[in-house]
Amino acid sequence: MNFYENNKAEGIVCSKGIGIGNVVFVEKNDINFDAVRPENAQDEIARYKEALSRFIKRTSEFADELENSLGKEDAEILRSHISLAEDPELDGLIVKMILSGKCAEAAVSGVCNIFSKMFAGIEDEVIKQKSLDIIDVKRQLLNTLLGTEESTGFEKGSVIASKDIEPSLVAVLSPDNISAIITENGNENSHSAILARALRIPFVSGIENIEERLVSGTEVIVDGFSGIVYISPDPELKNAYEERKQKAKDKELEYEAFRGKQTFTGDGKKISLMCNASGLPDLRNAIENDCEGIGLFRTEFLFMRSDHAPTEEEQFDLYQKAAQLLDGKPLTIRTLDIGGDKNIPYLKMKEESNPFLGLRAIRYCLKKNPELFRSQIRAILRASAFGNIRIMLPMISDVPEAVEANRIISKVKDSLREEGIEFDEGINVGCMIETPSAAVISDILAKHFDFFSIGTNDLTGYVMCSDRGNSETAYLYSVCQPAVLRLVEKASKSAREAGIPISVCGEAAADDRLLPLFIDYGITGLSISPGEVLEKRMLISRLNSENAADIAANIHKLETAEEIISYLNEF
């Protein structure tokens, strides 16, 4: 996806908008220290605790300022850094390393690197971005220990450039001075991207070899709509983008007209625009961006950030808070989805030659750890007394799995009734359609579930036998493959005939070109990134069922993904 052509570089849009200015590379101190064994471990622990206390105080002050300027949801991103630093496991390991003879700097660096590496190894982009949060906390703690500071002052018209940019830096940037941000690493789900969107600073990541390609002082245009960065633009291009920049501001006002409204097509067909979330900060961002609910609340992160399985109470606390924050809007909680690229060491999962086709998600829960599954279901059901919660089961492949999972849920309900514990008696239970078998027998599965959610990422990979991370087979990985679209259509038809809602999550849900197909298929909801909600609502309002049916009919005549993509690009 990334390439260079003359004076142009293409990356990933993290925050929309247009920025024009001069490149300024973020100057980060080389944090060097002598890893000298401390003479007194208790004194060294006290030095670490003092640095931790100062970090927490400073970050709390920044968070309060951010809350006053942007809102509580965005401030929670910085407060989540405090939670990371105070995490009992992380803090305990740092103290343990100091007691073993490490200096505070070496202990902080070593433990944070372990946690960062763990998160970085996860394919899920939302969880993977936590790796950068840990590095951010590490850098701040080390600077505090060493008494060093990093510059955050930039002149008006600056375009910040860096390999990575930490949330703590983005939080203190002034939109009056910063025209845009460009980085080599990062994605739209990172906390840095969320803050950039809140500050309305255009942000493009994925610019390869950024330090070799750019030098400080070079004028650039950052197109936060296409993801293109123009280097040393000529006057004609610059003038054209100045005009586009003004039009973009006008468009933002147009989007805002759809805030606080429900989503309908031009002919009155309702489509719910929900968001994906992995924790409370993500959920708050979704609420701030006017989501109509959470279509996918990932629970793996709660399990992965600890050295033990979270207790029922720990899970209940998170799910209850999430449900209350949504204030009646649906919260779709996906049960533990591990295996594949998501391994949790303390669960001691057996190593498999092909983990993506192995004992993952619901298979693991039913076959290897039903007690863990029951504990999670109990927590979810108890939390359902405090909001509109739905249970979603991942990786369902056949009817026996559906029957067994529902049997366990029913048993847990019986147990809660006997204990006199309240829960939503009418709670909906659904499943993800992400295996080809589930799509093929979706008419049968519809008898066992209250809703479907199509996971287009896994479904595409399994249908096309293609790993999206493998450049050799990436040409096959496209939701626009006729085989994939036909299964999406089949699952949608099964849901429609059974009278149950069906949504789409995954990258396909964000693709505007596919909206006519989803409307024609009968998709009732999309689970997307928060920043897309208002624009998507406007686009859907301009479509109608008749036009969508015409487009779908023409798509059905095409035989290849390339033909379908070419056709859709015309719209």
Side-chain angles (χ1 to χ4, degrees), residues 7-9 219-223 226 228-233 237 241 244:
N7 64 336
K8 182 172 70 174
E219 187 176 39
V220 294
I221 295 172
V222 179
D223 187 335
S226 67
I228 294 175
V229 176
Y230 295 94
I231 304 165
S232 300
L237 183 63
Y241 264 92
R244 286 189 60 186

Short mmCIF file of all heavy atoms in Angstrom, two decimals, residues 7-9 219-223 226 228-233 237 241 244:
data_model
loop_
_atom_site.label_atom_id
_atom_site.label_comp_id
_atom_site.label_asym_id
_atom_site.label_seq_id
_atom_site.Cartn_x
_atom_site.Cartn_y
_atom_site.Cartn_z
N ASN A 7 7.43 13.16 -5.90
CA ASN A 7 7.41 13.92 -4.64
C ASN A 7 6.17 13.60 -3.83
O ASN A 7 5.61 14.45 -3.15
CB ASN A 7 7.45 15.42 -4.94
CG ASN A 7 6.21 15.88 -5.68
OD1 ASN A 7 5.54 15.10 -6.35
ND2 ASN A 7 5.89 17.18 -5.57
N LYS A 8 5.74 12.34 -3.88
CA LYS A 8 4.50 11.96 -3.22
C LYS A 8 4.69 10.69 -2.41
O LYS A 8 5.36 9.75 -2.85
CB LYS A 8 3.41 11.75 -4.29
CG LYS A 8 2.05 11.41 -3.73
CD LYS A 8 0.99 11.43 -4.84
CE LYS A 8 1.17 10.27 -5.80
NZ LYS A 8 0.07 10.19 -6.78
N ALA A 9 4.14 10.65 -1.20
CA ALA A 9 4.18 9.45 -0.37
C ALA A 9 2.76 9.14 0.09
O ALA A 9 1.99 10.06 0.39
CB ALA A 9 5.10 9.66 0.82
N GLU A 219 8.67 21.92 2.95
CA GLU A 219 7.23 22.19 2.91
C GLU A 219 6.50 20.95 2.40
O GLU A 219 6.93 20.31 1.44
CB GLU A 219 6.91 23.38 2.02
CG GLU A 219 5.44 23.78 2.09
CD GLU A 219 5.11 25.03 1.29
OE1 GLU A 219 5.66 25.20 0.18
OE2 GLU A 219 4.32 25.85 1.79
N VAL A 220 5.38 20.62 3.04
CA VAL A 220 4.58 19.46 2.62
C VAL A 220 3.10 19.81 2.69
O VAL A 220 2.68 20.73 3.40
CB VAL A 220 4.84 18.23 3.51
CG1 VAL A 220 6.26 17.71 3.36
CG2 VAL A 220 4.52 18.50 4.96
N ILE A 221 2.34 19.04 1.93
CA ILE A 221 0.89 19.07 2.04
C ILE A 221 0.47 17.69 2.55
O ILE A 221 0.84 16.67 1.97
CB ILE A 221 0.20 19.34 0.69
CG1 ILE A 221 0.54 20.73 0.18
CG2 ILE A 221 -1.32 19.17 0.81
CD1 ILE A 221 0.05 21.00 -1.25
N VAL A 222 -0.28 17.67 3.63
CA VAL A 222 -0.76 16.41 4.19
C VAL A 222 -2.26 16.30 3.89
O VAL A 222 -3.06 17.08 4.41
CB VAL A 222 -0.51 16.34 5.71
CG1 VAL A 222 -1.04 15.01 6.28
CG2 VAL A 222 0.97 16.49 6.01
N ASP A 223 -2.60 15.35 3.02
CA ASP A 223 -4.00 15.13 2.66
C ASP A 223 -4.55 14.04 3.58
O ASP A 223 -4.35 12.85 3.35
CB ASP A 223 -4.11 14.71 1.19
CG ASP A 223 -5.55 14.62 0.71
OD1 ASP A 223 -6.44 14.42 1.56
OD2 ASP A 223 -5.79 14.72 -0.51
N SER A 226 -7.06 11.33 1.64
CA SER A 226 -6.53 10.27 0.78
C SER A 226 -5.34 9.55 1.40
O SER A 226 -4.97 8.46 0.98
CB SER A 226 -6.11 10.86 -0.57
OG SER A 226 -4.98 11.71 -0.40
N ILE A 228 -2.31 10.89 1.33
CA ILE A 228 -1.15 11.26 0.51
C ILE A 228 -0.44 12.47 1.12
O ILE A 228 -1.08 13.43 1.56
CB ILE A 228 -1.57 11.57 -0.93
CG1 ILE A 228 -2.10 10.30 -1.62
CG2 ILE A 228 -0.40 12.14 -1.74
CD1 ILE A 228 -2.65 10.54 -3.01
N VAL A 229 0.89 12.40 1.14
CA VAL A 229 1.72 13.52 1.57
C VAL A 229 2.51 14.00 0.36
O VAL A 229 3.26 13.23 -0.25
CB VAL A 229 2.69 13.09 2.70
CG1 VAL A 229 3.61 14.25 3.06
CG2 VAL A 229 1.92 12.62 3.93
N TYR A 230 2.32 15.26 -0.01
CA TYR A 230 3.04 15.86 -1.14
C TYR A 230 4.25 16.62 -0.60
O TYR A 230 4.11 17.46 0.29
CB TYR A 230 2.14 16.80 -1.92
CG TYR A 230 0.98 16.10 -2.60
CD1 TYR A 230 -0.26 16.01 -1.97
CD2 TYR A 230 1.11 15.54 -3.86
CE1 TYR A 230 -1.34 15.38 -2.58
CE2 TYR A 230 0.05 14.89 -4.48
CZ TYR A 230 -1.17 14.82 -3.83
OH TYR A 230 -2.22 14.18 -4.44
N ILE A 231 5.41 16.33 -1.15
CA ILE A 231 6.66 16.91 -0.67
C ILE A 231 7.10 18.02 -1.62
O ILE A 231 7.15 17.84 -2.84
CB ILE A 231 7.74 15.82 -0.58
CG1 ILE A 231 7.25 14.69 0.32
CG2 ILE A 231 9.06 16.38 -0.06
CD1 ILE A 231 8.06 13.41 0.21
N SER A 232 7.41 19.20 -1.07
CA SER A 232 7.81 20.38 -1.86
C SER A 232 6.83 20.63 -2.99
O SER A 232 7.19 20.62 -4.18
CB SER A 232 9.23 20.18 -2.41
OG SER A 232 10.16 19.99 -1.37
N PRO A 233 5.55 20.87 -2.67
CA PRO A 233 4.54 21.08 -3.72
C PRO A 233 4.77 22.37 -4.49
O PRO A 233 5.30 23.35 -3.95
CB PRO A 233 3.24 21.14 -2.93
CG PRO A 233 3.65 21.68 -1.59
CD PRO A 233 5.00 21.06 -1.32
N LEU A 237 -0.38 23.41 -7.01
CA LEU A 237 -0.93 22.36 -6.15
C LEU A 237 -1.26 22.92 -4.77
O LEU A 237 -2.30 22.60 -4.18
CB LEU A 237 0.07 21.20 -6.02
CG LEU A 237 -0.39 19.99 -5.19
CD1 LEU A 237 -1.60 19.33 -5.84
CD2 LEU A 237 0.73 18.98 -5.03
N TYR A 241 -4.94 23.00 -2.90
CA TYR A 241 -5.20 22.42 -1.59
C TYR A 241 -5.68 23.44 -0.58
O TYR A 241 -6.43 23.10 0.36
CB TYR A 241 -3.97 21.67 -1.06
CG TYR A 241 -4.07 20.18 -1.38
CD1 TYR A 241 -3.51 19.66 -2.53
CD2 TYR A 241 -4.75 19.32 -0.53
CE1 TYR A 241 -3.62 18.31 -2.84
CE2 TYR A 241 -4.86 17.97 -0.82
CZ TYR A 241 -4.30 17.46 -1.96
OH TYR A 241 -4.43 16.14 -2.26
N ARG A 244 -9.25 23.31 -1.21
CA ARG A 244 -9.83 22.08 -0.68
C ARG A 244 -9.92 22.12 0.83
O ARG A 244 -10.86 21.57 1.42
CB ARG A 244 -8.98 20.87 -1.10
CG ARG A 244 -9.13 20.48 -2.56
CD ARG A 244 -8.44 19.16 -2.84
NE ARG A 244 -9.01 18.08 -2.03
CZ ARG A 244 -8.53 16.85 -1.99
NH1 ARG A 244 -7.44 16.55 -2.68
NH2 ARG A 244 -9.10 15.93 -1.26
#
